[in-house]
Amino acid sequence: MKVVKTLKVSPEEFFTLIENSLRYDIEQYGRKAAGEYVLEEGLVYYKKIKYKKKEYRTRTEVKNFQAPWAYQVLIKNEMGNFVISYDISQKEDNVIEVVYQENTVDENGNPNTSLGRRIFGKLQAGRIKHRLSYMENNIHEQRKKNE
């Protein structure tokens, strides 16, 4: 699934939000303390997630971390393997285009391109657009607090 959205924020502001979310995830659920890890390509952490009353041990690996332009993770658990990425490009001052992609992949990292997955992806796209708008609003609120 691929979602493209224009946001009225800077690349640095958007990427800082991603970094803060990643730090929270690592420290809260991955049980690593601040200073015990470096946000970079190759970082691996484990956490447990609950889905439909079942708990899954999840391995998350940062595959690409190029602030403020690109972020990608590979998530593996018993439900499957998933790749999530954000690619950010500057359109003009304080305006960026975010390309969000989320795909199921096989053990070799090849995307699942089945018809069912494409239909499911279209249903998820609306949620992702909403999440990106929420992130944009969050940044605007932070700006107001810092003024």
XYZ file of all heavy atoms in Angstrom, residues 1-4 83-85 99-104 111-112 117-129 131:
238
model
N 0.834 -1.168 0.000
C 0.000 0.000 0.000
C 0.880 1.234 0.000
O 1.895 1.276 0.688
C -0.880 0.003 1.246
C -1.542 1.313 1.476
S -2.215 1.601 3.108
C -1.086 0.879 4.199
N 0.495 2.198 -0.777
C 1.253 3.436 -0.896
C 0.302 4.618 -0.726
O -0.765 4.638 -1.331
C 1.928 3.487 -2.269
C 2.729 4.730 -2.535
C 3.370 4.614 -3.916
C 4.157 5.832 -4.281
N 4.773 5.694 -5.611
N 0.727 5.584 0.097
C -0.051 6.798 0.316
C 0.886 7.978 0.118
O 1.996 7.999 0.660
C -0.649 6.843 1.746
C -1.313 8.177 2.021
C -1.625 5.704 1.947
N 0.437 8.960 -0.666
C 1.210 10.175 -0.886
C 0.392 11.346 -0.359
O -0.787 11.476 -0.694
C 1.524 10.376 -2.387
C 2.320 11.654 -2.602
C 2.248 9.178 -2.959
N 7.129 -4.335 5.919
C 8.049 -3.223 5.722
C 7.218 -1.956 5.725
O 6.205 -1.857 5.025
C 8.827 -3.346 4.394
C 9.623 -2.081 4.126
C 9.748 -4.537 4.423
N 7.644 -0.982 6.536
C 6.987 0.326 6.618
C 8.039 1.377 6.317
O 9.144 1.333 6.862
C 6.382 0.558 8.010
C 5.280 -0.469 8.274
C 5.855 1.983 8.149
C 4.738 -0.454 9.685
N 7.701 2.319 5.435
C 8.666 3.368 5.115
C 8.001 4.722 4.938
O 6.822 4.810 4.578
C 9.447 3.014 3.849
O 8.593 2.999 2.727
N 5.724 10.140 1.234
C 5.299 8.896 0.597
C 5.421 7.822 1.670
O 6.522 7.480 2.098
C 6.154 8.544 -0.632
C 5.702 7.210 -1.223
C 6.102 9.658 -1.667
N 4.271 7.340 2.114
C 4.214 6.284 3.132
C 3.924 4.981 2.403
O 2.999 4.914 1.583
C 3.099 6.588 4.132
C 2.866 5.475 5.127
C 3.512 5.485 6.355
C 2.004 4.424 4.850
C 3.304 4.479 7.284
C 1.795 3.401 5.764
C 2.444 3.438 6.976
O 2.239 2.424 7.888
N 4.706 3.958 2.711
C 4.453 2.643 2.126
C 4.457 1.598 3.218
O 5.276 1.657 4.140
C 5.500 2.304 1.070
C 5.398 3.205 -0.141
C 6.254 2.723 -1.276
O 5.899 1.757 -1.953
N 7.377 3.381 -1.493
N 3.528 0.674 3.097
C 3.421 -0.435 4.042
C 3.101 -1.677 3.224
O 2.118 -1.691 2.482
C 2.295 -0.138 5.033
C 2.096 -1.171 6.090
C 1.014 -0.765 7.079
O 0.900 0.418 7.418
O 0.258 -1.671 7.481
N 3.952 -2.682 3.345
C 3.751 -3.893 2.562
C 4.079 -5.126 3.382
O 4.961 -5.088 4.243
C 4.667 -3.889 1.325
C 4.267 -2.841 0.331
O 3.160 -2.858 -0.179
N 5.163 -1.905 0.065
N 3.379 -6.201 3.097
C 3.795 -7.489 3.638
C 4.886 -7.999 2.714
O 4.881 -7.727 1.511
C 2.631 -8.498 3.697
O 2.090 -8.661 2.395
C 1.543 -8.036 4.650
N 8.009 -7.895 -1.739
C 6.635 -7.501 -1.403
C 5.593 -8.520 -1.849
O 5.747 -9.183 -2.863
C 6.424 -6.190 -2.164
C 7.776 -5.736 -2.563
C 8.655 -6.946 -2.629
N 4.513 -8.610 -1.067
C 3.359 -9.427 -1.415
C 2.478 -8.562 -2.304
O 2.003 -7.520 -1.881
C 2.616 -9.837 -0.138
C 1.334 -10.578 -0.412
O 0.877 -10.674 -1.543
N 0.740 -11.101 0.638
N -4.275 -8.392 -0.882
C -3.452 -7.417 -0.171
C -3.651 -6.020 -0.752
O -3.701 -5.040 -0.040
C -1.978 -7.837 -0.239
C -1.050 -6.885 0.459
C -1.311 -6.867 1.958
N -0.514 -5.804 2.546
C -0.784 -5.204 3.670
N -1.822 -5.559 4.374
N -0.021 -4.261 4.118
N -3.782 -5.918 -2.074
C -3.995 -4.602 -2.694
C -5.343 -4.016 -2.282
O -5.445 -2.830 -2.020
C -3.882 -4.707 -4.206
C -2.419 -4.727 -4.653
C -2.308 -4.673 -6.135
N -2.394 -6.068 -6.593
C -2.638 -6.451 -7.804
N -2.849 -5.572 -8.734
N -2.692 -7.722 -8.119
N -6.378 -4.842 -2.204
C -7.691 -4.360 -1.772
C -7.626 -3.916 -0.317
O -8.116 -2.848 0.043
C -8.771 -5.442 -1.988
C -9.001 -5.650 -3.483
C -10.066 -5.072 -1.276
C -9.848 -6.858 -3.828
N -7.018 -4.731 0.541
C -6.863 -4.377 1.947
C -6.079 -3.072 2.075
O -6.410 -2.206 2.881
C -6.156 -5.496 2.706
C -5.922 -5.188 4.149
C -6.975 -5.167 5.047
C -4.642 -4.901 4.606
C -6.764 -4.872 6.384
C -4.420 -4.611 5.937
C -5.479 -4.595 6.829
N -5.048 -2.909 1.247
C -4.235 -1.692 1.268
C -5.046 -0.453 0.962
O -4.869 0.589 1.583
N -5.957 -0.557 0.020
C -6.813 0.595 -0.312
C -7.701 0.968 0.868
O -7.955 2.137 1.116
C -7.646 0.295 -1.554
C -6.829 0.264 -2.830
C -7.693 0.048 -4.040
C -6.880 -0.151 -5.279
N -6.220 1.017 -5.770
N -8.152 -0.019 1.616
C -8.969 0.262 2.799
C -8.140 0.947 3.880
O -8.624 1.823 4.595
C -9.575 -1.037 3.348
C -10.558 -1.764 2.436
C -10.942 -3.116 3.046
C -11.804 -0.924 2.202
N -6.882 0.556 4.009
C -5.996 1.125 5.022
C -5.540 2.534 4.661
O -5.180 3.309 5.541
C -4.749 0.241 5.185
C -5.027 -1.098 5.802
C -5.299 -0.961 7.279
O -6.417 -0.701 7.690
N -4.267 -1.102 8.067
N -5.505 2.878 3.381
C -4.968 4.157 2.930
C -5.660 5.343 3.600
O -5.007 6.320 3.962
C -5.069 4.265 1.412
N -6.969 5.263 3.795
C -7.701 6.351 4.458
C -7.211 6.568 5.873
O -7.060 7.713 6.330
N -6.939 5.488 6.582
C -6.415 5.595 7.951
C -5.045 6.256 7.968
O -4.734 7.041 8.839
C -6.291 4.208 8.578
C -7.556 3.680 9.134
C -7.195 2.529 10.067
N -8.324 1.650 10.197
C -8.257 0.348 10.292
N -7.093 -0.253 10.252
N -9.329 -0.381 10.434
N -4.220 5.888 7.011
C -2.867 6.435 6.947
C -2.922 7.934 6.643
O -2.209 8.727 7.266
C -2.016 5.700 5.888
C -1.911 4.213 6.214
C -0.649 6.341 5.760
C -1.387 3.883 7.594
N -3.768 8.360 5.718
C -3.918 9.789 5.418
C -4.358 10.546 6.663
O -3.867 11.640 6.935
C -4.906 10.002 4.271
C -4.330 9.629 2.931
C -5.309 9.881 1.815
C -4.687 9.462 0.491
N -5.585 9.650 -0.636
N -3.759 9.625 9.770
C -2.617 9.635 10.683
C -1.618 10.722 10.282
O -1.081 11.434 11.124
C -1.925 8.277 10.705
C -0.762 8.257 11.717
C 0.054 6.998 11.714
N -0.711 5.790 11.600
C -0.240 4.670 11.074
N 0.985 4.612 10.616
N -0.980 3.596 11.001
